[in-house]
Amino acid sequence: MTELRDRPALASTGREGRAARAVPPAVALAIVLTGQIMAVLDTNIVNVAVPAMHATLGASGAGLQLIVAGYTIAYAVLLVTGARLGDILGHRRVYLAGVALFTLASLGCGLAPSTGALVALRFLQGAGAAVMIPQVLSLIQRSYTAPGPRARAMSLYATVISGGAVLGQVLGGVLVSADLFGSSWRPVFLVNVPIGLLVLAAGRLLPAGRFDGIRTLDLPGLAVLTPVVLAFVLPLVLGQPLGWPAWGWVLLVASVAGFALLGVVEHRVGARGGQPILPRSLLGLPGMVAGLAGLFASLAVFGGWLFGLALELQDGLGDSPLRAGLTFVPCGVAFALVSLNWRRLPARYHGNLPMAGFVVNGIGLLWAGLLLRDGGTGGVWLYVALAVAGGGMAGAFGALMGRVLSRVPVASAADASGVVVTVNQLGIVVGIAAFGSLYLNLAGRLPAGAVAARPGGFAVSSGHAYLAVSVALSALALTGAALALAHHRIATAAAASAAPAAPLASTASPAPR
């Protein structure tokens, strides 16, 4: 299948058109990625501040869980809706509306007087992120239509996701430890305010990114998808802290049935000439389903590793939040270096890079687990193992993301953004829930060096609990390698058999402006 070639994807008319033509794609990329890193930071930075929130607000366990989870729940549930709104109202307008809502909610979170207010504002933050983040990929898709520049932009996007997660751990530890002016945890939210204002000021330079044709909300699809995603995410986020209550299992079973119902509803919407949020034209692209499954696996590994190692470092080894955060730095550096440079490899290796990345990632994760299994710190070799894991993750996620999106028609950019970002977010949620639960069920929340007595008379140290997590993460990474291989073979076979006279870009209708 022929990939998109260079062409002015954001041509328009009038004042918006002049702004779109005047702005270099690199400037637009910098603006949207700044918003992206705010949202990624907020997913991770709050975890470090939970003990301080408990001390100053007197928040209950359930309240603390909702402070952390409320953002993720609203974010995951509303992502697909946010993507479609960008196509209807214009990606710049919706992106800036999301930034404004996120910034305002961050200010409110930093000034929140009570647990209830903070929980409500965290949900509002998540809604702002859900409106803002899908526009990032849409604007990248529309600004970079040639395969090479688009892949480089995707590499930066992947670097921001991983780097922001690592930076969140470090920055959270720094801000909470500094206790600026006696503000305790509040700067972890207030740090978003100046960044958000800067993005809003620069955002007028972004292209509008609207369609000349008519785009509508798929109300039947949204009516099914929204509660289904909520039913899926809610028990995964709150299940382990609440002891996996019966209602959580009921919701998970209902979500499986709901996803099946969604397929039926979307088929009927498309058959009636509507615009389904999960169009068959997108999911039917060669290798798309396998590619999305591979992305899901990569982010599930990433989310499970990030959460599991943070628990082991702080609860198992007794590290401070700052020291634990700094442990992730080698991984973040390696991820950034590989993400920004993998395209320098000869082109004949690019197709196999996702598979190799998954394998290397699994080796690094297993190595780290073996180093920590007996309660030791791992020394310098732990940093080496984490760098190996981070480099492998970059090769897997960044290269696979670029290959999946390089074959998406420009007209489907918004739908693809919503689907890909939702898959990524659900992957992180599932990884945290599954591997976090595995660790906590084996080791519990332990003080440094503790050993938990388990039913049946045996004992599990936190180090051995983390080793079990590492083995499971490595197995999932190998599954991701198999999915990436399937995507590569299907897409390559389709490209070889495609007629040269029918490039993929010709399916894009209506034309963007």
Side-chain angles (χ1 to χ4, degrees), residues 406-437:
S406 68
R407 292 172 169 81
V408 174
V410 172
S412 299
D415 291 331
S417 296
V419 171
V420 168
V421 176
T422 300
V423 166
N424 290 347
Q425 185 63 26
L426 291 179
I428 293 174
V429 170
V430 169
I432 290 173
F435 298 105
S437 295

Side-chain angles (χ1 to χ4, degrees), residues 326-345:
L326 291 174
T327 302
F328 290 92
V329 170
C331 173
V333 171
F335 191 105
L337 289 175
V338 174
S339 290
L340 297 176
N341 292 285
W342 66 264
R343 289 197 58 82
R344 297 177 184 271
L345 293 172

Side-chain angles (χ1 to χ4, degrees), residues 296-302 358 431 435 470-483:
F296 180 91
S298 70
L299 269 299
V301 169
F302 180 71
F358 273 115
F435 298 105
S470 299
V471 171
L473 288 170
S474 299
L476 182 56
L478 292 179
T479 303
L483 291 167

